[in-house]
DNA sequence: TTGTAATATAATGCA
DNA sequence: TGCATTATATTACT
């Protein structure tokens, strides 16, 4: 039933990047003394001017949701339904501009059990439309690893070929290689760190 | 990410593979060593070529490396020295710190495919040092987004002002707007694609 | 809990 | 500048 998409990879929208910034509110008064030379002032922008209706800017392409999305979204009369809706817009700035929503979400948090929250979270991610995690077979992994050993940057041609042979989307393969490279890098960083540390400590022992 | 777009065939990828230019840099003033070589040498790919008149063969400007470069990279004028040091993340360079291995690499030169050479190139810029990813604060993003809504092509003056107010490099801001425009475009493309597709499928159901 | 697929986006290089 | 591609940081699922 779930029509698997053809060529496109549809990420984008809806950033979850917020956790990256440790210090919010760091920048102090932005709205002080500003002689602006432009047609608009940064203060006015910062002064929380009205939302410009916020074009949703387009939903991400989620072919794997095609069959169910409208069904699921309309189906649920649960009051929390609105949560995911909010999340279709960029939390980084739409969420803030609606204190009421924010408040509501916050209140919800303390009245629900961990399990319930977890379930919400899951639903949320469904609404948001994360691609179901692909489970590679052992064989697929093996082939990919072998190719990776020889070439960690396979071009589109190789990826297509792999896709055909392994019966996977080319997209999955691309992502796999991306993650694989990241993993390699991570492990090298770690061993390097260990080496340096060992050198350091042993030099201390002399 | 991938986002191959609706093109699907991704011809540009292939193009990129074949269009690999021997010259990695275009830093102003470094164009003189056009060695008129028909193809790239591994040396040039690896950045090992001799420099003329003491000018670095065209190093990208990497101010963020200043603090550590001498420590981590060693003297830039000895390319053989800088390589192993940065191998903390690069598998290829472990091998290359060994002269014997290196020799082998040179011998293999003619056997490298374009794709492989490209990959070297990538590794090169990698060990040369990529700017650490900037993590914008929530506030910074908010401001940037607001400005973007009004003007997605801010001129240098606005960018400078933003830079001052947000305590960011003007460069970062420039890049941010570039990426933001790309994101907008992408989302437009995607929603358009979705629309077309939906129209198509619903017309099938009649 | 860990490993990793998926996502979002900052940075890079070329045309 | 756009564009394609990459690295990187993070999220979330099994």
């Amino acid at each position: 039933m779930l029509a698997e998409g053809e060529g496109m990879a549809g990420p984008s929208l809806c950033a979850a990047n917020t956790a990256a910034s440790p210090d919010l509110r760091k920048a102090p008064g932005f709205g002080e003394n500003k002689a602006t030379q432009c047609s608009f002032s940064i203060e006015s922008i910062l002064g929380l001017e009205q939302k410009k209706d916020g074009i949703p800017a387009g939903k991400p392409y989620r072919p794997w949701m095609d069959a169910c999305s409208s069904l699921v979204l309309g189906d649920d009369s649960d009051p929390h339904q609105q949560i995911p809706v909010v999340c279709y817009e960029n939390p980084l700035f739409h969420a803030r501009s609606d204190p009421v929503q924010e408040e509501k979400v916050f209140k919800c948090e303390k009245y629900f059990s961990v399990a319930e929250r977890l379930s919400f979270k899951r639903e949320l991610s469904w609404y948001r439309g994360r691609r179901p995690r692909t489970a590679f077979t052992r064989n697929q992994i093996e082939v990919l690893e072998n190719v990776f050993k020889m070439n960690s940057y396979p071009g589109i041609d190789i990826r297509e070929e792999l896709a055909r042979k392994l019966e996977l989307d080319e997209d999955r393969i691309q992502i796999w290689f991306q993650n694989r490279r990241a993993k390699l890098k991570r492990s090298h960083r770690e061993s390097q760190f260990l080496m340096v540390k060992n050198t350091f400590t042993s030099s201390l022992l002399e």
Side-chain angles (χ1 to χ4, degrees), chain A:
Chain A
M1 42 140 72
L2 287 176
E4 195 66 20
E6 33 291 296
M8 261 179 86
S12 73
L13 252 233
C14 212
N17 198 19
T18 58
S21 49
D23 59 330
L24 334 164
R25 214 77 340 117
K26 154 195 167 187
F30 275 117
E32 269 116 65
N33 49 348
K34 245 20 231 183
T36 46
Q37 56 235 87
C38 359
S39 50
F40 55 88
S41 68
I42 293 193
E43 294 72 41
S44 71
I45 294 164
L46 274 177
L48 307 175
E49 46 135 47
Q50 282 69 343
K51 270 177 63 178
K52 295 282 170 45
D53 76 85
I55 310 158
K59 265 165 49 173
Y61 179 59
R62 312 257 192 236
W64 57 91
M65 290 181 63
D66 279 359
C68 312
S69 53
S70 53
L71 206 144
V72 173
L73 276 172
D75 203 24
D76 192 357
S77 52
D78 193 303
H80 314 314
Q81 183 185 351
Q82 50 200 311
I83 294 175
V85 178
V86 170
C87 285
Y88 250 119
E89 306 188 336
N90 192 335
L92 286 184
F93 93 123
H94 290 287
R96 291 191 48 71
S97 57
D98 188 351
V100 181
Q101 280 282 7
E102 204 172 334
E103 172 78 350
K104 217 181 284 179
V105 170
F106 177 67
K107 282 231 175 105
C108 283
E109 296 234 357
K110 51 185 156 189
Y111 296 133
F112 292 99
S113 72
V114 174
E116 281 167 321
R117 269 183 253 175
L118 206 133
S119 133
F120 282 147
K121 224 168 79 173
R122 215 162 265 156
E123 282 176 52
L124 191 104
S125 85
W126 167 255
Y127 289 135
R128 275 160 117 182
R130 174 174 271 248
R131 168 187 286 274
R133 191 185 173 97
T134 305
F136 297 108
T137 68
R138 178 189 299 234
N139 187 46
Q140 286 167 335
I141 296 278
E142 193 177 341
V143 174
L144 289 169
E145 285 286 359
N146 281 330
V147 174
F148 185 83
K149 263 188 281 195
M150 316 195 56
N151 178 8
S152 44
Y153 291 89
I156 181 65
D157 43 348
I158 298 185
R159 294 200 306 268
E160 293 281 18
E161 192 185 333
L162 276 170
R164 219 171 25 254
K165 290 197 183 170
L166 301 180
E167 297 180 279
L168 290 166
D169 272 2
E170 187 271 319
D171 268 8
R172 289 322 92 215
I173 297 198
Q174 170 104 311
I175 295 288
W176 188 88
F177 274 88
Q178 256 168 210
N179 282 321
R180 193 60 186 73
R181 285 194 296 265
K183 177 181 170 184
L184 181 64
K185 193 163 179 182
R186 207 163 45 235
S187 76
H188 274 283
R189 216 169 4 219
E190 263 157 36
S191 61
Q192 171 85 6
F193 172 72
L194 271 186
M195 242 173 55
V196 171
K197 206 190 75 175
N198 287 341
T199 308
F200 180 66
T201 51
S202 63
S203 79
L204 276 186
L205 293 178
E206 280 164 14

